[in-house]
Amino acid sequence: MATGLYIHIPFCHQKCAYCDFYSVPVELGAIEQYLELLLAEARLRGAGQTINTVFLGGGTPSLLSARQISTVLEGVSRYFCLAEGAEITLEANPETLTPQSLSAYHAAGINRLSMGVQTLTPALLPLLGRKHTAKEALTAIAWAQAAGFVNLSCDLIYGIPGQTLASWQDDLRTLVARGLPHLSVYCLEIYDETPLGRAVASGAVQRPDDDAAADMYDFARDYLPEQGVQQYEISNFARPGRECRHNLNYWQNGDYLGLGPAACSYGQDTRECNVADLQTYKDLIKSGQLPTGSSEHLDERDIAAETVILGLRLSTGVDQEAFAKRFGYSLEAAFGDEISQLLQKGWLQRSERGYALPKHMRPIANAVFCSFLRDSNT
Ligand code: SF4
């Protein structure tokens, strides 16, 4: 079965103030050593599975040189079957990029770039602990386009303390004017254990205003489609044909494999996550073991519920026909009560392919998702 492959690169120059992803400071020689471990894990997990999409995420994968990227992709081709026309995404931080590195990434086979811009408002970048300036981000976008990356995405954050609706609108207008074919917009989550979380808890930074964040989301939801950048998922917008295939597979509850610390794999009714610690990962790989940290068996009810919840993230909604084909019974047979209650409340609507979230429920989708979880029905 075709699978998406996620490869975690757990290194960053420095920790951003809001980040709770698993990453460690990059040290001299660390990447070369890490690539050996990654390839050893690829050998352990590889059984010739067909890989349709590869996503190098992090961390900061653009700390790798183009030669190192080639080493990773050669390893993927050695242990898996990399499909022709596979989407190969690299996550990149603007300050790590040069015109030369971008051309070399493109030549190495990277055909989609996802850039962590986060905000173009200069005063907000230090608050987030980002290392780049807004100008550097815009320059890196121009370099990426010149290097041939037509499949180019930017991540943006809204709901940042001190961010105004006007500055958010400017960010979106600027990126649309630059011809960005894909944008991911995320509401800032504040985690207690991060520097930003501590600053908010101590009162040094004001907690973002929920209503202001909702207005920012609503603006993106209305403005981007007017500009031809259609919403295809709760947080993702793309020009037609530029949707992220790797993430679409997640939302269709497809199988995937993950390599590297904290990476997760899913398939054959099981979800496994690797240990989220580089040293433990290294020790397990060196002793010839899979670096699995946790494993969860999912029964058919769990998988059906996840298929609905993930499908509802998409603007097209959960696909009735695909669901019936996968499970051998209809969506209504599995979740008839939940669906009719949600339809009655106006929290769900019929879509061309099945059922979808109405626009007004997209920012508060969890309220709908909860209805499909087992605990809510027992
Ligand atoms: S670059 Fe990304 S992964 Fe690294 S610290 Fe910043 S937000 Fe976290």
Side-chain angles (χ1 to χ4, degrees):
M1 187 185 277
T3 290
L5 179 66
Y6 175 79
I7 301 177
H8 193 63
I9 307 295
F11 303 107
C12 291
H13 274 312
Q14 67 180 38
K15 201 80 183 159
C16 299
Y18 59 96
C19 177
D20 87 325
F21 294 125
Y22 179 67
S23 69
V24 294
V26 65
E27 287 167 9
L28 197 66
I31 292 177
E32 285 295 326
Q33 285 174 23
Y34 178 67
L35 295 188
E36 284 179 26
L37 301 173
L38 258 188
L39 295 188
E41 189 188 358
R43 183 162 52 77
L44 289 171
R45 293 199 186 272
Q49 302 94 320
T50 299
I51 300 295
N52 278 339
T53 62
V54 179
F55 195 103
L56 289 133
T60 310
S62 53
L63 290 174
L64 270 61
S65 66
R67 182 187 58 74
Q68 290 168 327
I69 296 279
S70 295
T71 303
V72 173
L73 295 180
E74 278 160 24
V76 170
S77 299
R78 196 174 319 138
Y79 303 117
F80 303 94
C81 173
L82 189 57
E84 203 171 321
E87 176 190 271
I88 305 179
T89 303
L90 180 79
E91 275 189 341
N93 278 10
E95 76 279 5
T96 60
L97 300 170
T98 64
Q100 295 74 22
S101 70
L102 284 158
S103 297
Y105 287 148
H106 200 255
I110 300 295
N111 53 30
R112 185 172 183 276
L113 199 72
S114 173
M115 215 184 286
V117 170
Q118 317 311 2
T119 174
L120 292 171
T121 309
L124 299 178
L125 285 162
L127 182 85
L128 295 178
R130 302 290 296 181
K131 261 183 76 93
H132 56 88
T133 63
K135 196 169 164 219
E136 281 169 341
L138 291 175
T139 303
I141 289 169
W143 287 341
Q145 288 170 325
F149 283 102
V150 287
N151 228 351
L152 178 62
S153 177
C154 286
D155 284 356
L156 283 179
I157 297 178
Y158 63 93
I160 305 169
Q163 189 178 30
T164 62
L165 179 60
S167 72
W168 171 247
Q169 291 172 335
D170 282 350
D171 286 2
L172 293 180
R173 288 192 182 110
T174 301
L175 292 174
V176 167
R178 304 265 165 153
L180 265 291
H182 189 287
L183 289 168
S184 300
V185 304
Y186 301 110
C187 187
L188 179 68
E189 289 207 33
I190 299 195
Y191 298 98
D192 292 346
E193 66 287 359
T194 60
L196 186 60
R198 287 190 284 276
V200 167
S202 73
V205 169
Q206 211 182 354
R207 184 167 287 282
D209 181 76
D210 288 346
D211 290 340
D215 289 346
M216 290 179 203
Y217 180 82
D218 288 351
F219 177 78
R221 187 200 60 197
D222 295 339
Y223 169 73
L224 292 173
E226 282 165 22
Q227 304 303 313
V229 189
Q230 303 298 337
Q231 181 167 27
Y232 70 102
E233 193 266 345
I234 289 173
S235 304
N236 285 276
F237 298 79
R239 293 193 183 278
R242 295 293 171 208
E243 298 85 1
C244 175
R245 284 166 47 196
H246 184 81
N247 287 339
L248 278 173
N249 177 55
Y250 288 134
W251 298 317
Q252 287 157 354
N253 207 12
D255 290 356
Y256 52 86
L257 271 166
L259 303 178
C264 296
S265 303
Y266 172 68
Q268 295 179 333
D269 306 345
T270 304
R271 180 165 31 242
E272 278 184 9
C273 290
N274 283 351
V275 288
D277 177 76
L278 189 54
Q279 187 58 48
T280 317
Y281 175 82
K282 185 174 172 179
D283 294 343
L284 287 166
I285 293 278
K286 290 222 154 167
S287 64
Q289 298 175 66
L290 281 173
T292 309
S294 64
S295 177
E296 179 190 8
H297 174 78
L298 302 167
D299 66 21
E300 191 170 299
R301 171 67 174 72
D302 296 329
I303 298 168
E306 288 192 1
T307 303
V308 173
I309 291 170
L310 289 166
L312 287 176
R313 294 193 64 90
L314 295 167
S315 302
T316 48
V318 54
D319 189 318
Q320 244 170 338
E321 205 179 304
F323 184 96
K325 197 166 160 203
R326 179 167 182 168
F327 295 99
Y329 45 82
S330 70
L331 255 173
E332 290 79 4
F335 300 108
D337 291 347
E338 293 84 346
I339 289 172
S340 52
Q341 280 170 22
L342 291 166
L343 285 172
Q344 251 174 24
K345 284 201 269 189
W347 287 15
L348 200 64
Q349 65 187 23
R350 299 278 332 189
S351 67
E352 205 178 308
R353 296 192 197 161
Y355 298 94
L357 291 179
K359 269 188 186 178
H360 71 277
M361 291 306 293
R362 289 181 195 166
I364 47 170
N366 282 344
V368 176
F369 298 163
C370 287
S371 310
F372 296 96
L373 295 176
R374 195 190 298 266
D375 287 352
S376 69
N377 300 310
T378 51

